[in-house]
Amino acid sequence: MANLTALRDHNTAAVLGRIRAADEISRVELALATGLTAQAISKIVQRLAAEGLIAPAGRVPSAGGKPRTLLRLVPQARWVVGVQLHRHGSTLVLVDLAGRIVDATATRFDPSGATPQQTLDLIAAQVEAVIAELPRERVLGVGVACPGPLDQRTGVLHQVTGLPGWNGIPLRAELAARLGLPVFLDKDTTAGVLSRPGAPDRAFVYLGDGLGAGLVLGGRVQRGARTNAGEFGHQVIDPRGPRCACGNHGCLEALCRAALADGDRGRAADLLGEGIANLVRLLDLAQVVLAGDAVLADPDLFRDRIGAVVRERLPDPGWQQVGVTVTDAGEQVVALGAAGLVLGTLFGESDADGPDAAGLAVQAPAAQYPE
Ligand SMILES: [Zn+2]
């Protein structure tokens, strides 16, 4: 906790972010890249080395002077936990500073069959289990992603579909109190878009229990006025269509689910393609990453058919190139993104003016720091 707070100052995060992005880098290059003075760099590097976060990586000759020492990140110096809480259970990942998953667990349970307090106790126990072997002071925090609507800034859940008992639960504070670690909360789809580096204008489209999208535009994650942007599945495509869980008729989500229930993945993919083509045209996206159980059941079909529909709908597809891919993080993608909520604060991606160099364009997410 003190650890994370101490490292969260702007310049330290910027330097650490550069070291991670560069693999190996000298102090001189760091000064050039960050605009900081040599003295400032020297001080920060000294502090990061003392914390064990960076280490010398060797020396390179420099013109006329003494050889330059290269610096590198020590990925296993700290750890973060990412948690996805969904309607059928939870997925946890333990992630190192380089963003690599080193441990993962998935548990199936029915959160609607327990009280929120019982489920939070269970999640806390799962987090404790995954960090049991680690020195606790090296665990930076826990990122939690779950279905919306929720308030990312206050860490309070709202009317989560299918989980009425969770309305008003201050999940972030409750979990932070149980664990004594900083906790970050965000919507599952917003976490998903932060799971991997990507294009500055991109969407993450998740077809699982529901259908939602996470958005990064101009290198910045987009959460909207109440941090609930991305309710992509509830655009009404056919007002005379089947009733949706949200109460409306003919939402894209309801149509996709009906196609899947009929065993017609091709139709589900084509419908999803129409929705994604609309999104691409509205926002001029360069990249769409697909995820979720339904997509992972037949990734090639979804990628190919959605790519084809998008190309068909765009007026100039040769120029308006859109990369449509399926996530390489499989069922762990949202938990990995949740871990990214914590990592983003360490590497300068919470910088309001900063670029989305690592894909983790986290806008100063509020963490709950336990007393
Ligand atoms: Zn709906």
Side-chain angles (χ1 to χ4, degrees):
M1 296 139 266
N3 236 335
L4 185 54
T5 311
L7 294 167
R8 280 182 83 188
D9 87 81
H10 174 90
N11 290 342
T12 304
V15 168
L16 199 53
R18 289 288 174 177
I19 294 172
R20 181 179 65 163
D23 209 17
E24 292 185 352
I25 192 167
S26 69
R27 287 172 178 80
V28 173
E29 291 166 316
L30 276 174
L32 284 172
T34 58
L36 295 169
T37 64
Q39 293 95 313
I41 292 289
S42 174
K43 253 176 141 172
I44 290 170
V45 161
Q46 211 174 3
R47 193 148 56 89
L48 291 172
E51 288 278 352
L53 292 164
I54 60 171
R59 283 164 175 260
V60 282
S62 71
K66 54 177 188 177
R68 291 176 184 173
T69 303
L70 295 176
L71 302 164
R72 65 173 177 86
L73 188 70
V74 180
Q76 314 225 315
R78 297 291 188 282
W79 308 88
V80 303
V81 180
V83 180
Q84 180 188 14
L85 175 62
H86 53 82
R87 285 171 207 125
H88 307 289
S90 61
T91 302
L92 267 79
V93 292
L94 180 66
V95 171
D96 69 14
L97 288 185
R100 285 185 301 240
I101 295 175
V102 291
D103 197 1
T105 58
T107 315
R108 287 189 80 83
F109 57 88
D110 178 9
S112 68
T115 67
Q117 300 302 328
Q118 287 169 327
T119 301
L120 287 167
D121 287 343
L122 178 67
I123 298 287
Q126 290 175 333
V127 172
E128 292 290 359
V130 84
I131 62 173
E133 309 282 304
L134 302 172
R136 204 167 184 90
E137 67 278 9
R138 294 204 175 187
V139 180
L140 287 175
V142 180
V144 181
C146 68
L150 57 81
D151 190 327
Q152 177 260 348
R153 288 172 292 221
T154 59
V156 176
L157 302 183
H158 286 261
Q159 301 274 4
V160 179
T161 321
L163 294 175
W166 287 77
N167 187 22
I169 297 287
L171 184 145
R172 195 179 69 204
E174 292 266 354
L175 209 51
R178 281 168 174 78
L179 292 166
L181 290 167
V183 174
F184 298 76
L185 174 71
D186 216 328
K187 273 179 74 163
D188 46 12
T189 46
T190 301
V193 80
L194 301 173
S195 58
R196 292 268 196 242
D201 295 280
R202 67 184 188 274
F204 170 86
V205 175
Y206 188 88
L207 179 57
D209 292 335
L211 171 60
L215 297 168
V216 168
L217 299 175
R220 309 190 39 76
V221 67
Q222 302 297 319
R223 292 189 175 92
R226 287 158 292 271
T227 70
N228 272 287
E231 290 297 325
F232 170 73
H234 298 294
Q235 51 179 309
V236 175
I237 297 286
D238 176 6
R240 289 180 297 272
R243 194 177 158 86
C244 179
C246 75
N248 294 317
H249 285 265
C251 291
L252 179 59
E253 178 178 314
L255 296 172
C256 283
R257 295 230 65 89
L260 290 171
D262 290 345
D264 193 346
R265 281 194 195 122
R267 188 156 60 89
D270 289 345
L271 284 162
L272 189 52
E274 296 292 352
I276 289 174
N278 290 344
L279 192 66
V280 167
R281 290 210 286 190
L282 181 66
L283 301 172
D284 195 10
L285 302 173
Q287 185 185 19
V288 177
V289 179
L290 306 168
D293 298 351
V295 170
L296 295 175
D298 201 340
D300 293 351
L301 175 137
F302 277 90
R303 184 198 58 220
D304 294 349
R305 291 185 79 144
I306 289 169
V309 174
V310 169
R311 278 190 297 279
E312 207 173 296
R313 294 286 170 263
L314 291 175
D316 189 351
W319 175 56
Q320 297 166 295
Q321 299 230 349
V322 183
V324 178
T325 55
V326 174
T327 177
D328 63 354
E331 292 174 351
Q332 292 159 349
V333 64
V334 171
L336 180 62
L341 299 172
V342 188
L343 285 178
T345 64
L346 191 62
F347 292 107
E349 287 118 2
S350 56
D351 175 12
D353 305 314
D356 176 32
L360 300 168
V362 181
Q363 289 168 322
Q368 181 75 34
Y369 287 86
E371 297 303 312

